[in-house]
Amino acid sequence: MKGILNSAREDHTSAVKSRIENVKQLGSVIDVTKQLFEVSKETATLEAKAFELEQKTALVQEAKQVLDSWVRYEGQVKQRQQRELADSIIAKISKELENPKTLQQILQQSVADVEKIVSSKAL
């Protein structure tokens, strides 16, 4: 019986020693887990910053598109206004040229200018 008890005690002792060795090997798991957790936190922080920068970039691009659109629109409005102004001036001058009194004034002014040029060269 004593042999059985000694054998059982030795088996139990070796099992406990084996378990202690296994636990010692797992002792570094805590440090590795802590390091992995820190890396995970850093990764999450970097991903959040990257997402924020992507959102800012998208916002800047959208604002640029809106501003470019307004610049194009204002350019078109200015072109249209200039064209309308030119058309109205041409129409007004054309209407004035239909008036015989205006034509007579232009003719008289032209004759006076030509006589003035001729008289100044004659001197």
Side-chain angles (χ1 to χ4, degrees), residues 56-121:
K56 285 181 180 179
T57 302
L59 180 65
V60 166
Q61 287 176 344
E62 186 174 334
K64 183 184 180 304
Q65 288 175 349
V66 169
L67 291 175
D68 288 346
S69 167
W70 272 102
V71 166
R72 283 191 303 274
Y73 172 75
E74 288 176 355
Q76 291 170 351
V77 167
K78 188 174 181 180
Q79 257 185 341
R80 187 183 74 237
Q81 288 173 340
Q82 288 175 346
R83 186 173 50 249
E84 288 172 356
L85 178 63
D87 290 345
S88 70
I89 290 172
I90 291 171
K92 185 176 178 182
I93 291 173
S94 295
K95 186 175 181 183
E96 283 292 321
L97 290 176
E98 291 174 4
N99 184 350
K101 189 175 180 182
T102 304
L103 290 175
Q104 184 63 32
Q105 273 183 319
I106 293 172
L107 181 59
Q108 287 174 351
Q109 183 64 42
S110 297
V111 168
D113 290 343
V114 168
E115 288 174 349
K116 186 176 177 183
I117 292 171
V118 169
S119 67
S120 69
K121 287 188 178 185

Side-chain angles (χ1 to χ4, degrees), residues 21-32:
E21 287 300 317
N22 287 339
V23 170
K24 280 184 183 178
Q25 291 175 358
L26 296 177
S28 65
V29 168
I30 293 172
D31 292 334
V32 170

Side-chain angles (χ1 to χ4, degrees), residues 8-18:
R9 188 176 78 190
E10 286 175 13
D11 287 345
H12 178 69
T13 303
S14 73
V16 168
K17 286 181 181 179
S18 172

